[in-house]
Amino acid sequence: MWFERKAQLFGRLAEHYGQGDPQEAAECRYLATVAAEEASRLRSVQAVAR
């Protein structure tokens, strides 16, 4: 699913920025969380639609 891949990508970016740019890392962690939540929401909607 697209949002799951997006969450993984932002998670990896957060690790990459790590201590070098804490503000950027925090933003990436936030975006990873948002994407993971959207993936979960979409899975729920798909399960109900079946």
Side-chain angles (χ1 to χ4, degrees):
M1 179 177 275
W2 189 82
F3 280 104
E4 291 170 339
R5 290 191 311 267
K6 186 175 179 179
Q8 292 171 354
L9 173 62
F10 279 118
R12 286 193 303 272
L13 285 171
E15 291 176 13
H16 171 76
Y17 286 114
Q19 295 178 20
D21 191 345
Q23 185 175 358
E24 192 69 27
E27 179 71 14
C28 288
R29 282 190 297 276
Y30 168 74
L31 292 172
T33 300
V34 170
E37 289 172 352
E38 183 64 11
S40 178
R41 186 189 72 77
L42 289 173
R43 279 192 304 273
S44 297
V45 169
Q46 288 175 344
V48 170
R50 291 182 186 174

